[in-house]
Amino acid sequence: MATVLKKRLLLCLETNLIKMNSYNSLLEKIEHAKDLDFSNLIDSVIELFKKLWLKGFLVVLLMVGFAIVINVLFSLIGLAPKNNLPYGGFDMESFFSFYSETVIYSIPQTILMSTITMALIAAFYRICKQYVLGEEVVDDYFYFLKKAYFSKLLMLGIIHTAITVTAQFMFLIPYIYAFVPLAYFTVVFANNPDLSEVEIVKASFKLGNKKWLITFGTMFVAGLLGMLGLLGCGIGVLFTMSIVYLPVFFIYKEAVGFEDSSQIEQIGVNDDSDY
């Protein structure tokens, strides 16, 4: 019994040490990230989209489905955002009041939707990573909705919403700035699910700030390409919109790189054989 407890204690200490080293290593890689070429990034985004557009479409379809269900549920319990638009001409005070109420009433719904959206997109990034590394692609779109990850995603959803709401109250410029670091929450989490919520947020802002301009530029172009789906009677945007998630995936890939397997997972595998 004492031997088992000792092994578990050592495993816990080793796991915490690896987590710390993993976080420090991530920050170090971001700090020394190489300069990226805009045209090469766009080419990579388009090429991967052409190969994985169907999987991206399924992710977007799932997000739309969840959004409809959540909106209906919140409407039934009376927590849906109010849509009482001001009439009788434009009035700054009325507009600000409407804008503020809409943002505030949207908070619970936004938290839940942000959590689910990050889980689905993280699963999409996991599929993209498997494809890029030449591994067997496993189409598990609900991989990060498991109990082991959901509480962390929920906290990230709360942090994401808090930053978004604060930026929205400051109107356009702060929200545009915050949009880029926020976009990295999911890809950092997908590749480092063992990190704490605070570490994920710090790493996302560090990478977002360091690569802000090229991230904004590539996401803007990808957004324009995604909107081409509107030409297909509007519904075509469901097939093209997933391209907007690929720029941060490739920027993370080039700036940080991918690990073939988690060191923490390997510790668990190796130590299980001792029991």
Side-chain angles (χ1 to χ4, degrees):
M1 185 65 178
T3 304
V4 173
L5 290 175
K6 183 179 179 180
K7 284 185 177 181
R8 290 189 180 278
L9 179 59
L10 290 173
L11 175 60
C12 182
L13 291 173
E14 190 174 358
T15 300
N16 289 332
L17 180 60
I18 287 181
K19 283 184 179 180
M20 186 181 298
N21 290 338
S22 176
Y23 176 61
N24 291 334
S25 175
L26 176 61
L27 295 184
E28 186 74 13
K29 289 177 181 178
I30 293 173
E31 182 66 31
H32 297 94
K34 63 182 179 180
D35 293 333
L36 304 176
D37 184 81
F38 180 83
S39 60
N40 287 341
L41 280 174
I42 293 297
D43 288 342
S44 297
V45 165
I46 293 174
E47 286 303 312
L48 186 60
F49 173 74
K50 288 192 295 186
K51 295 177 174 66
L52 299 180
W53 67 269
L54 181 57
K55 300 181 190 301
F57 163 69
L58 292 175
V59 170
V60 172
L61 198 62
L62 285 170
M63 287 192 292
V64 171
F66 274 109
I68 293 172
V69 171
I70 290 172
N71 188 60
V72 171
L73 290 176
F74 273 76
S75 297
L76 291 175
I77 61 178
L79 291 177
K82 293 185 176 181
N83 294 314
N84 299 322
L85 293 170
Y87 295 103
F90 180 80
D91 178 74
M92 194 65 185
E93 185 177 348
S94 298
F95 172 77
F96 182 75
S97 177
F98 162 75
Y99 179 83
S100 302
E101 287 184 8
T102 301
V103 171
I104 292 172
Y105 272 92
S106 297
I107 289 176
Q109 189 170 335
T110 302
I111 290 173
L112 184 55
M113 196 60 217
S114 295
T115 301
I116 294 174
T117 298
M118 282 192 287
L120 294 173
I121 297 175
F124 179 55
Y125 287 148
R126 182 170 176 265
I127 291 172
C128 292
K129 176 183 173 181
Q130 290 171 341
Y131 183 86
V132 168
L133 294 178
E135 300 174 349
E136 179 183 358
V137 177
V138 180
D139 295 350
D140 188 351
Y141 299 101
F142 303 106
Y143 181 85
F144 289 107
L145 282 174
K146 298 174 183 176
K147 182 179 179 181
Y149 302 110
F150 190 78
S151 60
K152 184 174 291 187
L153 279 169
L154 180 59
M155 183 55 65
L156 286 173
I158 293 172
I159 296 172
H160 190 287
T161 301
I163 295 173
T164 300
V165 169
T166 303
Q168 284 177 330
F169 273 117
M170 296 178 181
F171 290 100
L172 192 61
I173 295 178
Y175 184 71
I176 292 176
Y177 157 73
F179 175 77
V180 170
L182 289 172
Y184 281 101
F185 274 29
T186 308
V187 71
V188 172
F189 165 77
N191 291 283
N192 307 275
D194 53 293
L195 296 183
S196 70
E197 296 88 340
V198 173
E199 289 171 339
I200 291 171
V201 172
K202 288 182 177 179
S204 298
F205 270 85
K206 187 174 182 65
L207 181 56
N209 289 332
K210 189 171 184 65
K211 299 296 182 184
W212 194 94
L213 191 59
I214 194 167
T215 302
F216 181 82
T218 51
M219 290 185 73
F220 180 77
V221 173
L224 292 179
L225 294 175
M227 295 306 291
L228 291 177
L230 291 173
L231 300 176
C233 300
I235 197 172
V237 75
L238 295 176
F239 293 90
T240 57
M241 190 49 65
S242 63
I243 195 172
V244 302
Y245 304 119
L246 295 179
V248 295
F249 171 81
F250 276 104
I251 292 173
Y252 180 93
K253 172 181 176 294
E254 295 300 321
V256 178
F258 297 137
E259 300 290 342
D260 288 338
S261 59
S262 170
Q263 296 182 62
I264 295 175
E265 290 176 0
Q266 288 301 312
I267 288 177
V269 170
N270 294 335
D271 280 81
D272 283 345
S273 61
D274 295 333
Y275 295 116

